[in-house]
Amino acid sequence: MGILIKNGEIITASDRFVADVYCEEGRISAVAPGLEKQRADDTVIDASGQIILPGGVDAHVHMELPFMGTESSDDFETGTAAGVAGGTTTIIDFVIPSRGQHLLDGYAMWMEKAKKSVSDYAFHMAVTWFSDRTLTEMETCVRDHGITSFKTFMAYRGAIGIEDPELIQVMEKSATLGSLVTVHAEHGDAVVALQKKFLREGKTEPKYHAMSRPAPVEGEATARAIMLARMMGNPVYIVHVTCKEAVDAIVEARTRGQVVMAETCPQYLLLDDSVYEKPDFEGAAYVMSPPIRPKGHQDALWAAVAAGHIQTVATDHCPFNQVGQKDMGKDNFARIPNGAAGIENRLGLLWTAGVVEGRFDVHKFVDLFATQPAKIFGLYPRKGAVVPGADADIVVFDPHATDVISAKTHHHRCDRSIFEGFQVKGKPSHVIVNGRVQFKEGKLDVQRGAGRYLPRQIHTFPKPVQS
Ligand code: DUC
Ligand code: ZN
Ligand code: ZN
Ligand code: ZN
């Protein structure tokens, strides 16, 4: 049986037009006005007055990630299901091998965990330490498993972070493979020094997490990563950009013609560091790295998004419960597990704050939400597009509906929402995943294990204009 979506307005990264969409066998087979049912048992969705969007691609999530003595609280099933409820139908998670674990062993472990996903998934490979196998295993990742991007952490030294000489090696190898290096940019040594200083002074509350990772920590590392990529001749993608200092480094490089891409997240666009002043340890819910920034940085991020210097908005979804996880750091901010939930909220927040509030147009929205992440990470046009031949991952979006975000009603397996009480305008009425309606009028109907692993293509980036 197929699905026929009638009379919706299709919005893509470049166009908008009213047409019908027919899906069969998991794919979009036709996009045209006046389509008819093909079979008696076809499902027909009347999308009059609604918008048709490609399913969202969240290029930065961490399901069941072992981290800081615990594990992120959404597994691949609950986390991808929450994504579907929020119009995200593809995730790119990270294989993060522990020290001593080889890349391909990490890959096997993550493949096993991710089998329960309800929607499709891909992986970035984090290089967290070096062995004599690392470089050849990077080749295997790209050639045999379609893992065409590598993640590096300039922070978290001694755990998953690497040193500059190792980052340079990853860049050198990646340049020969045509893959993309992505960077978590924070100056690891500076963070450790500031953490120690605050703890020595008896400053243990959540707000000192943010104060131990101020904007210059990120600005310095972002600029350094960009310069290293320039020297080694690599394109580079900076994950979760939060501050003006990092934006300045990115804009400077892009203006010179260097191929630098950047991602930010709704929490960095919409929250400011007053969240760390909440009483009763509630500030811990906002402990993530990089932290939420003081007022002012958000405007710099919006401007960079509008100008195209930041190309994607992902979530860094990495939930931890306040009770039983965040409270591990009750007496020491450095022990609060870093991360928060967000995969379900990206669509509503970005549409509301971006389109409804007039910061950018609908096409930019689709680009940030689905098309650019799919392109940059080698999933386009199978993902990120409403065209014949693409996977049938579609959001039927009601722009008139409203919603209030709350931990009481979200699908994240997490006891807090960092967006508690946020009002959003627009909400999916139907979410189609791989040709099946998996969310309809507020209710999920997902299938554990229905998601498939997505090997990714190599995306060819333009050559730098000048280097
Ligand atoms: N930052 C977080 O807040 N959580 C997971 C990893 C990261 O870089
Ligand atoms: Zn990170
Ligand atoms: Zn992350
Ligand atoms: Zn409506």
Side-chain angles (χ1 to χ4, degrees):
M1 69 170 218
I3 301 177
L4 176 62
I5 309 168
K6 292 287 291 176
N7 302 316
E9 184 181 22
I10 298 170
I11 298 188
T12 73
S14 52
D15 298 303
R16 62 191 298 172
F17 51 94
V18 175
D20 305 332
V21 181
Y22 190 74
C23 309
E24 55 189 330
E25 287 164 14
R27 298 272 170 88
I28 296 171
S29 62
V31 179
L35 295 177
E36 299 291 340
K37 269 172 86 161
Q38 307 274 305
R39 295 182 197 83
D41 65 353
D42 281 351
T43 302
V44 181
I45 297 172
D46 176 13
S48 309
Q50 299 198 61
I51 291 169
I52 311 291
L53 303 168
V57 178
D58 192 336
H60 190 155
V61 302
H62 303 281
M63 308 306 174
E64 51 189 299
L65 172 67
F67 192 53
M68 295 184 73
T70 180
E71 187 169 282
S72 58
S73 57
D74 265 316
D75 66 21
F76 278 88
E77 180 183 7
T78 61
T80 52
V84 170
T88 285
T89 53
T90 301
I91 60 164
I92 313 181
D93 201 291
F94 295 78
V95 176
I96 304 190
S98 52
R99 276 192 111 71
Q101 185 177 43
H102 292 285
L103 303 189
L104 296 179
D105 296 332
Y107 168 70
M109 188 173 159
W110 257 262
M111 284 295 275
E112 187 57 36
K113 297 200 266 197
K115 272 198 214 156
K116 43 188 172 315
S117 299
V118 307
S119 59
D120 293 351
Y121 52 94
F123 296 122
H124 310 277
M125 175 60 71
V127 180
T128 54
W129 67 293
F130 257 75
S131 77
D132 53 6
R133 291 198 212 161
T134 300
L135 297 176
T136 50
E137 290 199 332
M138 282 177 69
E139 276 175 41
T140 309
C141 285
V142 175
R143 302 223 167 106
D144 298 349
H145 303 304
I147 299 182
T148 53
S149 52
F150 295 95
K151 172 75 178 288
T152 55
F153 294 89
M154 297 170 84
Y156 301 118
R157 318 200 48 185
I160 55 178
I162 56 174
E163 309 291 326
D164 287 357
E166 297 167 332
L167 174 54
I168 290 167
Q169 281 190 77
V170 173
M171 286 179 172
E172 188 179 355
K173 186 69 191 179
S174 188
T176 69
L177 296 171
S179 50
L180 181 61
V181 176
T182 75
V183 183
H184 171 127
E186 287 186 298
H187 191 307
D189 291 326
V191 171
V192 171
L194 288 169
Q195 285 177 329
K196 284 189 181 151
K197 172 178 169 299
F198 288 125
L199 291 171
R200 250 194 335 264
E201 294 167 357
K203 295 170 173 165
T204 62
E205 303 96 295
K207 72 173 175 189
Y208 294 103
H209 166 78
M211 291 174 69
S212 65
R213 312 176 93 100
V217 159
E218 181 183 340
E220 186 281 333
T222 304
R224 181 159 35 105
I226 288 171
M227 286 301 166
L228 294 175
R230 180 181 176 184
M231 289 176 225
M232 302 311 293
N234 294 72
V236 66
Y237 177 97
I238 312 292
V239 304
H240 52 43
V241 171
T242 74
C243 64
K244 181 168 186 317
E245 288 78 352
V247 166
D248 287 347
I250 290 159
V251 172
E252 188 274 332
R254 290 174 56 84
T255 308
R256 264 193 291 107
Q258 193 179 335
V259 183
V260 175
M261 288 149 291
E263 161 197 291
T264 189
C265 312
Q267 59 270 33
Y268 301 123
L269 291 164
L270 295 170
L271 303 176
D272 67 67
D273 67 350
S274 61
V275 296
Y276 295 115
E277 301 295 340
K278 292 189 188 238
D280 303 326
F281 198 61
E282 287 296 321
Y286 304 84
V287 167
M288 62 186 77
S289 294
I292 304 297
R293 297 299 181 196
K295 276 202 174 69
H297 290 281
Q298 300 76 23
D299 290 342
L301 295 175
W302 282 118
V305 167
H309 291 303
I310 292 175
Q311 296 78 34
T312 65
V313 175
T315 61
D316 201 3
H317 178 83
C318 189
F320 296 102
N321 288 300
Q322 191 79 356
V323 179
Q325 295 191 293
K326 293 279 185 178
D327 54 11
M328 291 160 61
K330 198 103 198 150
D331 304 313
N332 179 348
F333 67 84
R335 300 223 175 98
I336 301 170
N338 288 196
I343 190 171
E344 184 175 357
N345 308 130
R346 189 174 63 119
L347 169 59
L349 292 171
L350 196 58
W351 179 271
T352 303
V355 177
V356 178
E357 294 176 14
R359 291 186 173 95
F360 46 69
D361 70 11
V362 290
H363 307 294
K364 169 70 93 180
F365 168 83
V366 174
D367 222 20
L368 293 163
F369 180 65
T371 308
Q372 277 301 321
K375 284 184 175 170
I376 290 170
F377 292 110
L379 292 168
Y380 188 85
R382 177 171 177 189
K383 305 293 185 185
V386 181
V387 291
D391 285 351
D393 291 347
I394 294 171
V395 179
V396 182
F397 183 71
D398 181 351
H400 314 289
T402 56
D403 207 359
V404 179
I405 298 174
S406 173
K408 294 194 186 78
T409 48
H410 68 192
H411 296 83
H412 302 136
R413 192 156 71 185
C414 188
D415 63 4
R416 291 293 183 281
S417 171
I418 57 172
F419 303 110
E420 188 69 39
F422 270 64
Q423 303 200 9
V424 296
K425 195 142 196 261
K427 189 173 157 176
S429 69
H430 300 72
V431 180
I432 296 158
V433 188
N434 287 326
R436 232 189 103 245
V437 179
Q438 300 215 8
F439 181 79
K440 189 177 155 187
E441 279 135 26
K443 289 220 163 46
L444 277 171
D445 175 20
V446 293
Q447 285 176 326
R448 177 183 168 97
R452 300 161 303 179
Y453 174 68
L454 302 168
R456 293 182 287 121
Q457 311 285 312
I458 300 254
H459 180 75
T460 307
F461 294 97
K463 289 258 171 287
V465 171
Q466 169 226 329
S467 216

